[in-house]
Amino acid sequence: MELELWVRLDPESGDVDAEVELAGFDGFFLHRDLDVETLTPGATVEVSTDTSAHLDRVNGYRIAGADPVRLRYRGRLPETMAEGTNVLNDDVLELSIYSAWYPVPLDLGSFSWRLHLDVPSGWRLFTNGEPGQDGVLHHDGNAATGDIAVAGARKVDVMHLADGVELVTCGSVGDAASELGPLIVQGLALLRNWYGAPERLDAGRVVVTERGGYPYSRMPTVFASAEMVEKQTARNVHVLGHELAHFWWNIAPVASHDDWINEALAEYSALRLTEELVGSEASDKVVRGYQLEAEMSREDPPMAHTDPDDEKSYATNKYNRGSLFFRALAELLEPNELDALLTRFHTAHAVAGDASIEGFVELLRQADPALAGEAQRVLEERAWDGHWPGVSLTTIP
């Protein structure tokens, strides 16, 4: 799928006026405050019954009669969207898939895009795309996560960290951001030591915007909130660690049950980072909490069959059970053996983004056939309780 977008955006008022050409799309989601009209003769775009638990206040649309199709949409977006994760005001802006400010594929899958963005003078913007020779931002579709994420402000500070990584603050983030830099450097160094150099990352960026809500990663950029930075609790260090880990664990398609790979390995890595950067007491608290939630969630499907749009089991299966699953494997294998397997796994699938749960089990089978069989059983077990017989998942008994 391909998308090219020409958009005029006024952050202060929230006004959006855009034209878009879609190729290979059979439909899309768009924020319900934006009105759509068809510009391609013979094409129709009609409101559908499609819904998504991951998007905020959207309408679904189905396309017929032409491919590619050119549309125009316009309207006024609210100041805050997606629980404060997306914002538009006279100081800062951040927009992404969660607010559906552009036509989002119905399957939430990956796509190639080109973005022509017109904002008032004085704004500096950062995206998950790359500037082309013509100055147009673009991103190829060979990525596990499809999104056009944009953050910016009139007041922007850029801190250059190690290995080409930047820390960008948008708006009045405060002095806490300066303490975030060393934390990012330490976290990335540990991840690189465990899993080798990330295949798709020449240089990364962490963008912190003056907003609330949750962080998310859209390689090669992590988008985080000032609220999280200002409160560097053990939990927030853990959450940031999860997003940093996606520099490595963004190797499976998000629009399938194999997205479990991305989230489970990012959360397992976050657990390890919490242990290293905060301490064993903090990581053990997370483990015990995850085991308790797994024990209480008795209606969840097997981890290997988690629907990508199943909001109910998303967290318990992908984050909680997923991190416990890999922590158990680390205990059952020889020291550093799981890291070696995961390094091979990342290298094999990072560029194509085609990793699968079955592929990981096969890789594990090459190292330990008996353990691979047991791992397969756990992955297929409905509502696994988070305990592996004979294995302690906490550092401190």
Side-chain angles (χ1 to χ4, degrees):
M1 292 185 290
E2 298 179 355
L3 176 157
E4 185 157 11
L5 178 61
W6 296 261
V7 57
R8 181 177 293 107
L9 175 66
D10 181 1
E12 184 173 357
S13 66
D15 288 343
V16 176
D17 190 348
E19 288 191 18
V20 61
E21 183 167 291
L22 304 175
F25 282 63
D26 59 359
F28 58 90
F29 294 111
L30 193 67
H31 196 280
R32 66 179 60 169
D33 290 346
L34 301 172
D35 297 321
V36 184
E37 61 178 302
T38 307
L39 301 180
T40 301
T44 60
V45 176
E46 298 182 351
V47 176
S48 71
T49 58
D50 297 286
T51 60
S52 173
H54 300 295
L55 307 184
D56 181 38
R57 300 184 68 241
V58 298
N59 287 328
Y61 296 87
R62 288 283 176 170
I63 301 170
D67 185 18
V69 63
R70 195 176 183 97
L71 311 172
R72 184 180 186 185
Y73 65 90
R74 47 190 163 174
R76 177 169 291 180
L77 290 172
E79 183 173 345
T80 61
M81 295 160 281
E83 302 176 17
T85 301
N86 284 185
V87 294
L88 270 177
N89 57 54
D90 57 355
D91 291 322
V92 298
L93 72 85
E94 183 165 336
L95 296 170
S96 67
I97 190 173
Y98 302 115
S99 56
W101 71 284
Y102 64 89
V104 175
L106 292 176
D107 67 356
L108 308 187
S110 61
F111 56 94
S112 300
W113 56 263
R114 286 169 56 84
L115 172 63
H116 311 252
L117 184 57
D118 182 7
V119 296
S121 62
W123 284 77
R124 188 174 177 188
L125 303 178
F126 301 86
T127 80
N128 58 318
E130 301 175 2
Q133 292 182 348
D134 53 3
V136 178
L137 292 160
H138 66 92
H139 198 286
D140 68 50
N142 193 22
T145 304
D147 196 0
I148 307 175
V150 180
R154 297 182 187 276
K155 179 185 177 183
V156 170
D157 292 312
V158 179
M159 182 186 304
H160 297 282
L161 307 176
D163 297 325
V165 177
E166 294 179 338
L167 171 60
V168 177
T169 57
C170 298
S172 301
V173 174
D175 296 334
S178 61
E179 301 174 11
L180 187 63
L183 185 66
I184 293 171
V185 171
Q186 292 177 65
L188 291 176
L190 286 166
L191 290 163
R192 193 179 294 266
N193 182 57
W194 296 332
Y195 311 128
E199 290 293 315
R200 286 181 60 91
L201 181 66
D202 295 324
R205 180 184 296 128
V206 177
V207 177
V208 180
T209 304
E210 186 183 354
R211 64 165 175 86
Y214 40 83
Y216 55 97
S217 58
R218 300 291 183 265
M219 295 301 100
T221 305
V222 170
F223 296 88
S225 70
E227 184 177 272
M228 186 187 78
V229 171
E230 290 163 359
K231 301 175 182 178
Q232 289 187 21
T233 61
R235 180 58 185 164
N236 284 343
V237 170
H238 183 95
V239 170
L240 177 62
H242 177 101
E243 300 306 331
L244 292 177
H246 275 307
F247 280 124
W248 282 259
W249 306 121
N250 189 41
I251 63 173
V254 297
S256 77
H257 65 277
D258 289 313
D259 183 49
W260 180 88
I261 288 288
N262 299 322
E263 298 302 338
L265 282 170
E267 190 64 9
Y268 165 64
S269 301
L271 195 60
R272 299 179 72 184
L273 289 172
T274 299
E275 184 174 335
E276 291 285 345
L277 300 174
V278 182
S280 297
E281 186 176 344
S283 61
D284 284 355
K285 182 178 179 180
V286 175
V287 167
R288 292 190 180 99
Y290 281 0
Q291 288 179 321
L292 180 61
E293 290 177 29
E295 292 166 6
M296 296 174 63
S297 303
R298 304 306 301 164
E299 301 301 319
D300 289 341
M303 286 185 284
H305 302 287
T306 305
D307 190 299
D309 211 32
D310 184 349
E311 190 174 24
K312 182 176 180 295
S313 64
Y314 188 95
T316 49
N317 267 357
K318 293 186 177 184
Y319 293 170
N320 304 4
R321 292 187 176 100
S323 59
L324 297 174
F325 173 85
F326 283 105
R327 194 169 178 93
L329 293 185
E331 292 297 318
L332 290 163
L333 289 166
E334 295 296 322
N336 303 319
E337 189 175 5
L338 180 59
D339 283 351
L341 289 175
L342 293 179
T343 300
R344 289 170 55 193
F345 195 48
H346 168 80
T347 302
H349 300 286
V351 175
D354 60 353
S356 67
I357 296 171
E358 292 82 0
F360 173 76
V361 173
E362 180 56 35
L363 184 64
L364 180 60
R365 183 171 288 112
Q366 296 171 22
D368 189 325
L371 181 56
E374 183 66 10
Q376 184 70 59
R377 184 194 65 75
V378 170
L379 287 167
E380 297 287 346
E381 181 179 329
R382 185 177 183 86
W384 178 52
D385 65 5
H387 296 270
W388 201 299
V391 178
S392 173
L393 300 185
T394 57
T395 305
I396 305 171

